[in-house]
Each structure stands twice: as structure tokens, then as C-alpha cells.
Amino acid sequence: MTQFKQWFFPGGDNSSFYCKYNNKPLQAYSAIMHFTGSLASIVASYFTQHWGRKGSMIIAGTSFCIGAIFQASAKNTVALLFIGRVFWGIGIGFGDHCAFIYTAEMAPPRWRGRLNTLVQLGTIGGIVVANAINIGTNNLIWGWRLSLGLAAVPGLILLMGGLFLPETPNSLVERGYLSEAKSVLQKVRGTKDVDVEFDTIVLANEALKGMESPWKAIFRRRNRPQLILAIAMPFFQQWSGVNGVSFFAPQIFAGINALGSGNKGSLIAAIIVNGVQLIATIITVFIVDKVGRRVLLVSGSALGFAAEIAVAIVFATSASSNAINLPYGASITSIVLIGLYSISFGFSWGPVGWLIPSEIHDLNTRSAGQSITVFTQLVSGATVTQTFLNMLCSLKWGIYIFFGAWQFIAIFFTLFLVPETRGVPIEEAANFVRAHKVWRHVCYPGGVVPQNEVVTSMQRLSGPANEGTNPYRGNTFTG
């Protein structure tokens, strides 16, 4: 969009394929939203725990709407753009914090992975829709105002959800509203027979009464696996390079001429790459509770690693230091390979990187743990966003080796340290993680799990009467 570029982010190096649009203000414009969101997520933790999940939705939705108004009304100066971006950061901090907790607490155990994956599906779907809007408004002088202003639509949807959706039973129990909690549980389960599940929630909450503050508790030895996973999962998610590909796809493809020259060609390439990621995430919605989390993470990391190394090879052999565009064949190959990388992220670290941290904490530390996850995700995303175009210009094809290396490391991290939480009730997931064959040695002296922390549902479901129905079978939690 010519007017937007001329008014706010002029410049760029058209003499180099790798430095096609190395613009520091543009990177700051993208990154400030993530940095603001990381700080907002800390506030969101306290707010979500003491005033419920719905209140965070309302704040998030309102912030998105305000941010869209500021940015759509900007003229000649970046001030309103950056102010609007700050409001979007607040929206992301509160929205990311409450969305996954809300979904995890409302979902039945057998559907939790599927429903939580829908949150990530909505994110990717929004990116694809935004790409399509950018293509449709590309030739309009004021098209950028329409693109930024339409961001208020998902904000309004989130705001309506906060106003009209019920609060989660777990949050209501945590704040002492027991009768309302049971009523909501009956409504969302579609049956009056919820006594066992409701009693589990109440007992989990009672066990936590009188305990220390969540921010102290999460740093205790028994919660160390959850703390490490809450940091590592979003770290690996972001350092696969996804934000660099998603946010700067038009700039990356500006040097790839396969779909035509100019801004429109790069926008078309971007929507193709994000579109295949959307399809991959849709597939994950239906398989995550069948094949499990670990299989998706390992296979996604392996495919992502191979794709990024292949992209590096294509760029290294086809784009010299002073090249302006790739040859046609290399352009097509690059789009296919980056598309494969996008697919790998769409069925693995994209949705599952959010899912696992949302389901492994005790009720007492859940809000603090999710805040740490959101903080890490946004700080990592902001760092990648702020540095990606500089790194591309400096490292050239080596940037894909750099991000591919993190994918390789993520394979072994998953194999040795990520438990399979498929089908584990959320109230018992924390003890299940602590009993993992590696983490038990971190949590307990001698690696011996106390009898009162053995996962009771495992015992209940592993009897002869339930042979063939145990969703935990295959998980290593005993020595």
C-alpha cells in the first residue's frame, strides 16, 4: 500500500535480495505490540485469578477496538500507529492469557486438545483473512485504513464473548461461587450428572487453600517441570522463526518474482504460505486428541528443520550477494519449501505449543503459569520480529540454518522432557507431569512419587473393567 509506506515507513534497499526492505521503524512497529503484550500478561495473571476469565476477555476485546481506531485514523506521523499498537499489545496480553485457560477449563478431557487447538486456528485464520484484505485493498489509496480498522471486528467478537459467555466452573469454585459453578458445569456438559467432575474441581481447590501465592508456588521444586515447560514450549514455538515468516512474508517474497512483480505478488505468496498453515491447523483440530501431542511436536520439528535447511540451500545456490531477485525456478521452490515449513508449524508447535502449557498446572498456579507462557511467547516473538529483517540482511541464507537448529533441538527436548497429556483430566495433569520418568527426579527426593500424589484417574481407569478405554495408556509415569 503505497500511501502507508510513503507516510510511515519509507526506505529500503532495492539493490539486494536479502535487504529488500530492511526497515528498523517497521520492525519496531511490529515488535512493540509483543513487548507491550508481554508486560500486560503479568497484570492479566492477577486479574484473571481474582476477577475471572470473562473480565480478561472484556479488557482484551476493548483494547483491540481502541487500537484499531487509533491506527486507522493515523496521518503522516507514526505516533498514532504506535499508540494503537500498544493497545493491541494489551489486547494480546490479556487475550492470550485467558483464551487458552478458558478453553482448557470448559472442555471435557477427551476434547480439550481439539477445542484448545481451535484458538490457534482462529489466530491463523485471522492472519489469512488479513492477507486477503490486504490484497483486496492494495490498490486503494485509503486501503490501509480499511485493513487496520477491520481489526476491530475480532475485538468486538471477543468483547461480546466476555459479556455473554459463562464463567468457567474452575474460576467460580476458586472464588467461592459453588452453586453457580455446578450450574455452569451442568450446562456445558449437557447433563445433570456432573457430581464426580464437580467434586474433583472442588477437592482440587480445597487442597490449595491456605497455600502460598501462585507466584511463589510456581518456583518451588515440585512445580519446576511446569515452570520449565511454561518457558520452553513458547520459546521453541517462536524461535522456529514463525513470526519472521508470518509478519514479514510480503518483505521476504518481495525478492521472489514467481507470482509477479510488485507488492501484490508478495502478498499473494504470503497468503499461500499462511493458507497452508491454516489447513494444517484445521487437520490438527481433528487429530490432536487421537494421535497425541508428542507425535505432532516431533514430526512438526523434523519437517520444519528439513524445510528450513532446504530453503537455506536454495537461497545459497540461487541468490548471490548482489542479486535483486531469485530465478523463476528457485522462486517456486522457495515458496513450496516455506509453505512446507508453515505446514509443519501449523500442525505442531503452533497449536500444541499453546495447548500443553495451558493444561499442566495446578489450579493455584494455572494463571501464573499461563502468564509466564504468554510473557515468554511475546518476548521471544518481539525479539524475532525486531531482528528478523536485520538478520536476513546480515546472515542472508544462514538465517534459515539458525532457525532450523532450534527445530532440531526441539525434537530431543520433546522426546525426553514433554509428557503426553492426551486424555488426562486437567485437575490431575500437574501430578501426572510430576510423575514423568525424568521430572519425578526433579520434583521428589530419590524420584519417588508420594502416594497421595499418584494420579487417581490412572488407578481408576486401569482396572480390568476399563480395559481398552484407558486414555493414559502408554504414558510413562512410573519407574
Side-chain angles (χ1 to χ4, degrees):
M1 299 176 187
T2 304
Q3 187 184 77
F4 184 81
K5 178 182 176 182
Q6 290 176 345
W7 279 6
F8 305 114
F9 304 108
D13 182 3
N14 289 321
S15 65
S16 170
F17 169 74
Y18 293 106
C19 305
K20 194 78 174 181
Y21 205 69
N22 183 22
N23 188 296
K24 291 181 175 61
L26 174 65
Q27 294 175 90
Y29 172 65
S30 298
I32 192 173
M33 179 177 70
H34 292 82
F35 282 124
T36 304
S38 65
L39 298 177
S41 68
I42 299 174
V43 180
S45 170
Y46 183 86
F47 191 94
T48 302
Q49 182 172 21
H50 290 85
W51 284 284
R53 288 44 165 159
K54 282 163 54 73
S56 289
M57 288 188 200
I58 293 171
I59 292 176
T62 303
S63 298
F64 280 124
C65 293
I66 294 173
I69 293 171
F70 270 109
Q71 292 181 85
S73 59
K75 186 176 181 179
N76 291 325
T77 174
V78 298
L80 289 180
L81 287 182
F82 275 76
I83 292 172
R85 206 73 171 178
V86 167
F87 274 101
W88 278 5
I90 295 170
I92 287 178
F94 275 83
D96 281 355
H97 189 275
C98 69
F100 292 95
I101 291 180
Y102 185 91
T103 307
E105 291 181 342
M106 293 294 265
R110 66 184 182 279
W111 292 347
R112 189 173 65 243
R114 178 180 298 181
L115 295 178
N116 230 324
T117 302
L118 287 173
V119 180
Q120 178 68 10
L121 178 64
T123 301
I124 302 303
I127 293 173
V128 172
V129 170
N131 288 151
I133 291 172
N134 288 339
I135 291 174
T137 60
N138 183 54
N139 294 324
L140 300 175
I141 294 177
W142 45 268
W144 62 273
R145 295 189 188 276
L146 182 60
S147 294
L148 292 172
L150 285 174
V153 174
L156 284 172
I157 295 173
L158 188 57
L159 176 59
M160 292 300 103
L163 292 173
F164 297 108
L165 288 175
E167 186 58 89
T168 71
N170 306 67
S171 178
L172 290 169
V173 168
E174 187 177 24
R175 293 179 288 136
Y177 301 106
L178 299 185
S179 59
E180 292 91 333
K182 189 168 186 178
S183 176
V184 169
L185 190 61
Q186 291 171 336
K187 185 180 295 183
V188 297
R189 297 293 182 262
T191 178
K192 297 288 184 181
D193 186 19
V194 296
D195 290 344
V196 173
E197 184 176 2
F198 181 71
D199 289 345
T200 302
I201 296 173
V202 172
L203 287 172
N205 184 66
E206 289 293 328
L208 299 172
K209 283 187 176 179
M211 294 185 67
E212 61 188 340
S213 95
W215 285 99
K216 288 184 178 179
I218 200 166
F219 288 97
R220 298 298 185 193
R221 176 176 177 174
R222 70 191 307 271
N223 289 318
R224 205 157 291 163
Q226 285 85 349
L227 176 63
I228 293 173
L229 290 170
I231 295 172
M233 298 297 293
F235 178 88
F236 283 118
Q237 182 193 66
Q238 289 303 304
W239 284 95
S240 68
V242 63
N243 268 359
V245 173
S246 296
F247 283 96
F248 297 113
Q251 283 72 41
I252 294 173
F253 291 113
I256 296 178
N257 59 11
L259 298 176
S261 60
N263 192 43
K264 188 172 182 179
S266 62
L267 288 172
I268 292 173
I271 198 172
I272 291 173
V273 169
N274 289 314
V276 296
Q277 184 179 150
L278 175 65
I279 294 171
T281 307
I282 291 173
I283 295 172
T284 304
V285 170
F286 296 99
I287 66 173
V288 65
D289 286 321
K290 295 179 181 179
V291 304
R293 284 71 160 142
R294 283 162 50 88
V295 170
L296 294 176
L297 290 175
V298 172
S299 57
S301 294
L303 177 59
F305 168 74
E308 292 197 277
I309 297 302
V311 169
I313 294 172
V314 171
F315 280 13
T317 56
S318 303
S320 61
S321 299
N322 56 356
I324 298 176
N325 290 313
L326 284 179
Y328 182 83
S331 296
I332 294 293
T333 304
S334 298
I335 292 173
V336 170
L337 289 173
I338 294 178
L340 284 175
Y341 158 77
S342 195
I343 289 171
S344 75
F345 185 84
F347 72 75
S348 61
W349 286 94
V352 182
W354 282 110
L355 171 59
I356 290 177
S358 72
E359 60 186 4
I360 58 174
H361 298 280
D362 288 318
L363 182 59
N364 182 48
T365 59
R366 189 170 300 150
S367 184
Q370 185 67 6
S371 181
I372 291 171
T373 294
V374 174
F375 180 87
T376 305
Q377 196 265 359
L378 291 174
V379 168
S380 297
T383 304
V384 173
T385 301
Q386 182 64 35
T387 60
F388 183 83
L389 291 180
N390 286 334
M391 292 174 67
L392 181 62
C393 191
S394 301
L395 298 178
K396 299 180 173 55
W397 53 266
I399 190 173
Y400 293 99
I401 300 290
F402 174 78
F403 287 126
W406 287 112
Q407 299 255 34
F408 186 74
I409 295 171
I411 295 173
F412 294 96
F413 177 85
T414 302
L415 288 173
F416 291 105
L417 295 176
V418 177
E420 179 54 71
T421 53
R422 175 173 62 95
V424 181
I426 194 168
E427 293 78 19
E428 300 175 356
N431 283 340
F432 181 79
V433 171
R434 295 181 187 113
H436 179 267
K437 60 183 178 181
V438 174
W439 292 124
R440 63 171 59 187
H441 296 282
V442 175
C443 295
Y444 309 112
V448 179
V449 182
Q451 187 61 34
N452 65 336
E453 292 192 6
V454 171
V455 180
T456 56
S457 289
M458 174 70 79
Q459 297 172 319
R460 185 167 61 249
L461 291 172
S462 60
N466 294 289
E467 190 71 29
T469 64
N470 184 359
Y472 309 125
R473 181 165 284 115
N475 291 330
T476 54
F477 80 107
T478 56

